[in-house]
Amino acid sequence: MRYSEVAEKVIAAVGGVDNVSNAWHCMTRLRFDLKDGAKVDMAALDGVPEVIGTNVQNGELQVVVGTEVEKYYEPLADKLGLSDKAGGGEAAGGKRGWVALAMDTVSGVFGPIVPAIAGAGMIKGLMAGLAALGVISNKNDTYVVIDMLASGVFTFLPFFVAASAAKIFKTNMFMAVAIAAAMQYPTMTAAAAAKEITAFMLFGVIPVPVFNYAGTVIPIIFSVFALSHIYRWVDRALPRVLRTVFTPTFSLFIAGTLALTVIGPIGIFLGNQLAAGVAWLFAFSPILAGVIFGATRPIAIFTGLHHAETPIALQNFATQGWDMLMPMMFMANMAIAGATAAVYFKVRSKDQKTVVASAAVSGLLGITEPALFGVLSKYRRAFVAATIGSTLAATFFAVTGVRIYAYILSSIFSLPAYVGPYFPFALAGIAIAISSSFILTMFLVPAERPADESAVAPEAAALGVKGERVELVAVARGAFVPLEEVSDAVFASKTVGDGYALQPADGDVYAPVSGTVTVVFPTKHAIGLETDDGVEVLVHLGIDTVSLQGEGFEVLCAPGDRVDPSTLIARVDLDAVRRAGKDPVILVLVTNLGKVSTVNEFDDADAALQRGDSVVSVSAAV
């Protein structure tokens, strides 16, 4: 029941069922493709106890709920009426760029299967460590049986990838698995092992290259993507009465033939090139490789793109039997845990200490989302410290040549997988990651003030915050419009928030209040601010302008910037907006009304406003 209730709250906070174009999930996040991101009530999302954090990346809203994400997603998918409970795929891509779409696809494919990979990898790593220590022989039956249990996932990885990719691309899962089965049929694997022929000849003229597809991922992802289009094309082309029998027949033959003759070999080539590129970087300059992968890993996790490195790591295991990227991931997780642990000594309330301690322990165990979204996103200097610690430790690993021989969850429990020549370096790397990020956080992050010092700070007063009252000023020159009269029913009903609207006379838009920029939507049509008193303000540029994909808008601020009513935050090409058939009215809304006691509205309809005129006053709730 709890999961269903949370799903209802999340749907309501993202703007309701009608605002969701698509939804899917990875290992820890619910992911949404929304029609209008400005309708999202971030305060309501953050107010759901089960929500660890939120993030907007490439127009995609990510709601982090932890490793029980599938339990939340199932009722959410039912309520949204999604026909495929894995969601995602092409619709999820929307109008985002190809790179962003590719990253989202890889993350979406690997998110659901990571538990199986991580579980099998943990068993494999533990057994390798015990064998290296001489505790167990890798020749006895016990080792052989347990190794079968752990290695099965990696040997038949294309089957897992096929099933997950079918959900992402919205095609028949069993057809996708059938193609994976063809690629790993014993005739193919035996020919690859014997190395006696390089290709079979289909119809005597079409070469079918011989490859060992075990453990590979790129060929099957591309093949299932092709299947999804072929299946739909065949289904549309056939008369309805023939579809049940002949749609799968023709689809399997066409897609399977393409997979074996063209797509699979190209996928093998691309996978080998990616792995070779990474290997070249490590050979060319271990320091540069460590800096690149160590510095980018924390932000990759934060943006949900960290699974994009997984195919390269798996390709390394498949082709050379070891990998150098997994150790980089390990160091990033340890650095994140170290920085989070330091924050424990900076917060004062018992509740905060409990949250931070739990997040730090989760980071040590390889689950870093609670630390990143629950702690480090609020203490950005700590995030910087974690990034520096990750970079230092990863560079140390790269220089010392640390490698791992089995895919394993990057946690403190992965240490047995490093038993061997690199074990001392693994211990030293952990020490570097945790200690450097911990010390830097202690130095960079100031301690919280006691509760009795929480009165309005002098710097807040200097910025125009008068006690608990916040003035929302006119962001541009133009005519005042009562919120109830705007053309969008959601805004007019004050579902998103309360405030005012203004029909601008020019395109220069200034901040309506003193505070900090919290979010800039990728489509540039909305900017979120937060005052020092915790009042959250949304500046929404135009009605239904999200569809313009940023055309006609220039944003002049970024998240984290301090602004005040004299700060120019955006420019709008009003003529371009009107030519596109959109209303350029600007809305200034207080979105976290639960933290506001009163909103004193301006009642002079159609009044001419000058920039900086006081329009609405807000009293923050005590």
Side-chain angles (χ1 to χ4, degrees):
M1 184 64 181
R2 176 171 67 94
Y3 301 108
S4 180
E5 291 175 351
V6 171
E8 288 182 358
K9 292 178 181 178
V10 169
I11 290 173
V14 300
V17 174
D18 293 338
N19 195 39
V20 180
S21 296
N22 204 355
W24 64 108
H25 72 86
C26 58
M27 189 177 180
T28 58
R29 310 162 199 231
L30 298 170
R31 295 168 176 255
F32 294 91
D33 183 25
L34 302 175
K35 297 175 183 176
D36 189 352
K39 294 181 181 179
V40 177
D41 187 343
M42 288 295 189
L45 277 178
D46 293 335
V48 178
E50 291 80 3
V51 173
I52 299 172
T54 57
N55 184 49
V56 177
Q57 178 69 21
N58 294 318
E60 169 194 306
L61 173 65
Q62 302 170 2
V63 180
V64 185
V65 292
T67 53
E68 289 188 308
V69 62
E70 192 166 351
K71 295 180 180 178
Y72 292 106
Y73 183 77
E74 288 181 0
L76 183 136
D78 287 336
K79 297 176 189 301
L80 292 176
L82 298 177
S83 58
D84 188 324
K85 290 192 177 185
E90 297 164 309
K95 296 184 179 179
R96 295 195 295 276
W98 282 104
V99 174
L101 179 57
M103 296 296 100
D104 288 343
T105 299
V106 171
S107 295
V109 169
F110 278 97
I113 64 176
V114 161
I117 298 175
M122 185 67 75
I123 295 173
K124 202 171 181 67
L126 289 172
M127 294 304 293
L130 292 174
L133 292 171
V135 176
I136 187 173
S137 170
N138 58 9
K139 303 296 183 182
N140 67 31
D141 289 350
T142 299
Y143 185 95
V144 170
V145 171
I146 296 178
D147 185 62
M148 285 192 296
L149 178 64
S151 299
V153 174
F154 299 100
T155 301
F156 299 102
L157 186 61
F159 289 81
F160 294 85
V161 174
S164 184
K167 294 180 179 180
I168 291 295
F169 297 128
K170 292 190 174 182
T171 193
N172 186 281
M173 180 189 301
F174 298 102
M175 292 286 291
V177 172
I179 291 179
M183 298 172 81
Q184 286 199 259
Y185 192 71
T187 302
M188 176 67 82
T189 55
K195 299 181 179 180
E196 295 177 352
I197 61 173
T198 58
F200 299 104
M201 297 305 294
L202 180 64
F203 304 126
V205 294
I206 302 175
V208 178
V210 172
F211 289 110
N212 182 1
Y213 289 101
T216 63
V217 296
I218 295 177
I220 192 62
I221 290 178
F222 285 170
S223 297
V224 176
F225 176 74
L227 170 67
S228 67
H229 289 278
I230 292 169
Y231 194 97
R232 285 192 287 270
W233 177 77
V234 171
D235 201 54
R236 286 194 301 266
L238 289 174
R240 185 178 299 273
V241 70
L242 299 178
R243 291 175 182 174
T244 301
V245 174
F246 290 103
T247 293
T249 301
F250 291 142
S251 298
L252 180 60
F253 181 79
I254 297 171
T257 301
L258 281 174
L260 292 173
T261 58
V262 179
I263 300 174
I266 290 176
I268 289 287
F269 174 78
L270 291 177
N272 288 339
Q273 291 300 111
L274 283 173
V278 172
W280 174 86
L281 179 60
F282 275 83
F284 173 74
S285 174
I287 294 177
L288 180 61
V291 169
I292 291 175
F293 289 108
T296 58
R297 182 67 182 181
I299 192 65
I301 301 173
F302 192 84
T303 55
L305 301 179
H306 52 302
H307 292 310
E309 295 177 7
T310 302
I312 303 174
L314 293 171
Q315 185 73 21
N316 285 334
F317 289 125
T319 56
Q320 61 191 23
W322 53 271
D323 174 60
M324 70 292 281
L325 287 182
M326 294 296 296
M328 308 287 108
M329 304 174 193
F330 184 24
M331 291 300 93
N333 287 2
M334 295 302 98
I336 289 168
T340 305
V343 174
Y344 177 87
F345 298 97
K346 298 294 184 176
V347 299
R348 291 187 172 272
S349 75
K350 291 182 179 180
D351 289 343
Q352 285 180 303
K353 285 183 177 292
T354 299
V355 170
V356 173
S358 175
V361 172
S362 294
L364 287 173
L365 299 180
I367 306 298
T368 52
E369 277 80 2
L372 282 170
F373 288 95
V375 180
L376 300 188
S377 64
K378 300 175 182 177
Y379 298 89
R380 296 178 184 177
R381 293 182 180 181
F383 182 86
V384 172
T387 301
I388 294 174
S390 171
T391 303
L392 292 174
T395 302
F396 174 78
F397 263 27
V399 170
T400 54
V402 174
R403 59 185 62 172
I404 193 169
Y405 296 91
Y407 188 101
I408 188 170
L409 187 67
S410 297
S411 77
I412 197 68
F413 288 117
S414 66
L415 264 177
Y418 291 87
V419 171
Y422 301 103
F423 190 67
F425 300 127
L427 294 177
I430 293 174
I432 292 171
I434 295 178
S435 63
S436 61
S437 60
F438 183 94
I439 293 171
L440 284 169
T441 301
M442 293 295 292
F443 176 76
L444 293 174
V445 178
E448 288 187 352
R449 293 176 299 171
D452 58 3
E453 295 179 12
S454 61
V456 177
E459 63 268 26
L463 289 170
V465 179
K466 303 174 183 178
E468 295 176 353
R469 180 171 295 280
V470 177
E471 300 289 335
L472 301 184
V473 303
V475 296
R477 182 172 58 86
F480 171 80
V481 178
L483 202 56
E484 295 84 355
E485 296 181 10
V486 298
S487 58
D488 187 288
V490 174
F491 290 129
S493 64
K494 302 184 180 181
T495 301
V496 177
D498 199 355
Y500 73 88
L502 180 149
Q503 195 62 248
D506 60 60
D508 288 346
V509 180
Y510 290 78
V513 71
S514 299
T516 302
V517 178
T518 56
V519 64
V520 174
F521 282 83
T523 48
K524 304 179 183 179
H525 75 295
I527 300 169
L529 311 170
E530 183 176 358
T531 72
D532 293 335
D533 282 344
V535 176
E536 296 174 1
V537 181
L538 174 69
V539 180
H540 193 281
L541 306 176
I543 300 295
D544 194 31
T545 46
V546 64
S547 62
L548 300 182
Q549 294 294 306
E551 293 184 14
F553 300 102
E554 180 186 5
V555 175
L556 304 175
C557 60
D561 288 354
R562 292 288 302 183
V563 297
D564 59 49
S566 67
T567 306
L568 182 64
I569 60 174
R571 286 196 177 97
V572 182
D573 185 339
L574 300 179
D575 291 336
V577 173
R578 293 189 181 102
R579 283 196 301 270
K582 307 299 181 183
D583 183 353
V585 66
I586 300 174
L587 302 105
V588 179
L589 309 171
V590 175
T591 56
N592 59 339
L593 293 175
K595 295 184 178 180
V596 173
S597 61
T598 60
V599 178
N600 299 318
E601 299 183 358
F602 190 83
D603 57 5
D604 189 0
D606 300 321
L609 296 173
Q610 297 298 318
R611 180 182 65 81
D613 287 351
S614 180
V615 184
V616 172
S617 63
V618 176
S619 296
V622 179

